């Protein structure tokens, strides 16, 4: 039974905490909020498609050095995160 729908993931863990509800979240989100909110995290019993991420920006910032720098930092951070995925080791 679906009890709530949200336009973003940010409120979902708070709804689940302290309730008998269950949700499905991306690994990173689940592990980020699990300890502070006292949530348990488990693997899904089935394979799911890998999440795809994209960056978007206004064309006027294409050549802006600060924006180019930020996009590059985000790209490097994401690539590092993709390789490490430390959460897999913690799942029971």
């Amino acid at each position: 039974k679906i009890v709530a729908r949200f336009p973003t993931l940010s409120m979902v863990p708070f709804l689940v905490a302290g309730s008998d509800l269950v949700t499905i979240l991306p690994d990173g989100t689940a592990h980020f909020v699990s300890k502070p909110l006292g949530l348990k995290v488990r693997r899904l019993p089935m394979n799911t498609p890998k999440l795809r991420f994209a960056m978007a920006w206004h064309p006027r910032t294409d050549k802006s050095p600060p924006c180019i720098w930020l996009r590059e930092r985000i790209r490097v951070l994401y690539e590092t995160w993709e390789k490490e995925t430390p959460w897999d080791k913690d799942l029971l």
Side-chain angles (χ1 to χ4, degrees), residues 61-74:
T61 66
D62 271 348
K63 294 182 176 20
S64 165
C67 293
I68 292 169
W69 177 88
L70 179 60
R71 290 190 298 267
E72 179 62 16
R73 297 291 78 71
I74 292 170

Side-chain angles (χ1 to χ4, degrees), residues 74-88:
I74 292 170
R75 184 189 63 76
V76 169
L77 180 65
Y78 179 76
E79 286 175 355
T80 302
W81 175 73
E82 277 277 283
K83 289 176 190 169
E84 292 177 2
T85 26
W87 304 290
D88 288 346

